[in-house]
Amino acid sequence: MADSDTLKLIVTALSVSGPTFGWVLLGVVLRRVGVIQQRHVDAISRVAFMAALPVLLFASAALVDYRHLGDARYLAAGVVATFVTLFASLCYCRWRGFSLGDTGVFVQASYRSNLAIVGIALCHAAYGEAGLALATLPLAVMTALYNMLAVALLNATHGGQRSPRAMLLGMLRNPLLIGIGLGVAVSLLALPLPALVPQVSSAISRYFIPLTLVAIGGAIQLNTLHRLGRTTWEAAGWRLCVGPAIGVAVALLMGVRGQALGVIFLLLAAPVAAASFVMVVAARGNSVLAANIIILTTLLCGLTVTLGFSVLVALGLVGELVKPL
């Protein structure tokens, strides 16, 4: 391949990953110089989880015509890839001789990506509103799946006591799942959608999602990086390289191509979700390891997403991207 073609591929991939992780790095810098504090990060994260993201996901779900959804193989591929990654990483942990507690943290990190913020932002950057629409259904199904698997995994490795009933009630109260559920209901019942909703959704995706990404960067504590151990690096490798590779392989075997394949890759290539840390703390597990994995995967994800997406673009597998602004 000519050097000019290689450069074009890299620029194309950077047009997807660059803006997303540029905001994260801005948050790191702003936190470092003292412009934003932890209270700002907490406030932005709270508004995002309780209001902005549910509205965005509601609007995206409401605009999908599920009666003509047709091929949902990309959704099935995401689910299958999650299970394959979980069991493969569990075997890896046993081969490496990790303790039972560290195994739970490692395995959760290997399959649990940040779907709702980083994944959605990447899909929007790559495919615009079409990317949001394609990502909505996998986000709903896989968020619920991630939580169920995490509870079972941490119960098995940390002796947690959270019951299936409590887990179900927690998911039913999850604002993200509520927003998606209401949007699906509006679409299936053919209810009229107020004109204001798409406008608000567009404003959130343009202005608030970047602010949320800045908050992610602001939450990163660089002074903890010197404590990163080998297990942290291995877990990051699974989250950023092995997990997405498994996802793409499964999707290709199931015949997924085009934008659907791109969406699955971008969702699965996101860094570890912050919710994984909360669940490890609740299970009284190795919270330092969980936090370090989140930090490292967030810092490295821009590079791995760019390289991985470049390969998929070079192979002509991920469909047509939106035109960069």
Side-chain angles (χ1 to χ4, degrees):
M1 181 180 293
D3 291 342
S4 59
D5 292 335
T6 302
L7 181 60
K8 288 179 181 179
L9 290 175
I10 295 175
V11 170
T12 299
L14 282 173
S15 72
V16 174
S17 62
T20 299
F21 294 103
W23 290 114
V24 174
L25 291 176
L26 177 62
V28 173
V29 173
L30 292 178
R31 178 64 181 267
R32 190 71 176 175
V33 300
V35 174
I36 59 175
Q37 305 295 330
Q38 187 61 44
R39 65 178 185 276
H40 302 134
V41 172
D42 293 340
I44 294 170
S45 300
R46 192 159 49 246
V47 172
F49 183 72
M50 298 300 297
L53 288 175
V55 170
L56 177 64
L57 295 172
F58 165 78
S60 298
L63 294 174
V64 176
D65 188 350
Y66 297 96
R67 292 168 301 179
H68 299 93
L69 189 60
D71 184 10
R73 282 179 292 179
Y74 77 107
L75 170 61
V79 172
V80 172
T82 298
F83 280 104
V84 173
T85 302
L86 186 152
F87 287 113
S89 61
L90 187 59
C91 293
Y92 178 82
C93 288
R94 296 191 67 176
W95 174 71
R96 288 280 287 113
F98 293 152
S99 67
L100 194 60
D102 285 356
T103 293
V105 177
F106 187 107
V107 172
Q108 185 186 201
S110 71
Y111 75 81
R112 189 168 191 169
S113 62
N114 191 328
L115 301 171
I117 299 178
V118 179
I120 281 290
L122 287 169
C123 292
H124 184 263
Y127 303 114
E129 297 302 318
L132 287 178
L134 276 171
T136 297
L137 195 56
L139 190 150
V141 173
M142 291 168 65
T143 296
L145 177 63
Y146 284 178
N147 281 294
M148 289 187 290
L149 292 176
V151 170
L153 177 68
L154 294 176
N155 277 343
T157 57
H158 292 78
Q161 299 299 319
R162 194 176 187 193
S163 66
R165 180 176 178 274
M167 177 186 67
L168 178 60
L169 290 175
M171 286 191 292
L172 291 176
R173 289 194 292 262
N174 186 309
L176 304 181
L177 296 182
I178 291 173
I180 293 171
L182 291 175
V184 172
V186 167
S187 177
L188 293 178
L189 296 174
L191 298 176
L193 193 65
L196 182 63
V197 172
Q199 296 175 11
V200 172
S201 171
S202 178
I204 291 173
S205 62
R206 282 179 175 269
Y207 304 114
F208 193 80
I209 290 297
L211 186 60
T212 307
L213 295 169
V214 169
I216 290 177
I220 295 175
Q221 299 290 337
L222 293 178
N223 58 0
T224 65
L225 292 179
H226 68 280
R227 298 200 297 265
L228 299 181
R230 182 173 176 179
T231 304
T232 304
W233 284 95
E234 291 180 43
W238 271 83
R239 169 83 301 277
L240 299 178
C241 300
V242 180
I246 290 175
V248 169
V250 169
L252 289 174
L253 288 173
M254 296 178 67
V256 179
R257 301 290 189 278
Q259 292 185 348
L261 178 63
V263 164
I264 285 298
F265 169 76
L266 293 172
L267 289 176
L268 295 180
V272 178
S276 64
F277 172 79
V278 176
M279 298 194 75
V280 170
V281 171
R284 299 181 180 180
N286 189 340
S287 59
V288 173
L289 176 60
N292 285 343
I293 294 172
I294 293 172
I295 292 171
L296 187 59
T297 55
T298 302
L299 290 175
L300 296 180
C301 192
L303 175 62
T304 55
V305 168
T306 301
L307 292 176
F309 205 72
S310 295
V311 172
L312 295 178
V313 170
L315 296 175
L317 297 173
V318 292
E320 184 176 352
L321 308 181
V322 296
K323 299 297 182 185
L325 296 178

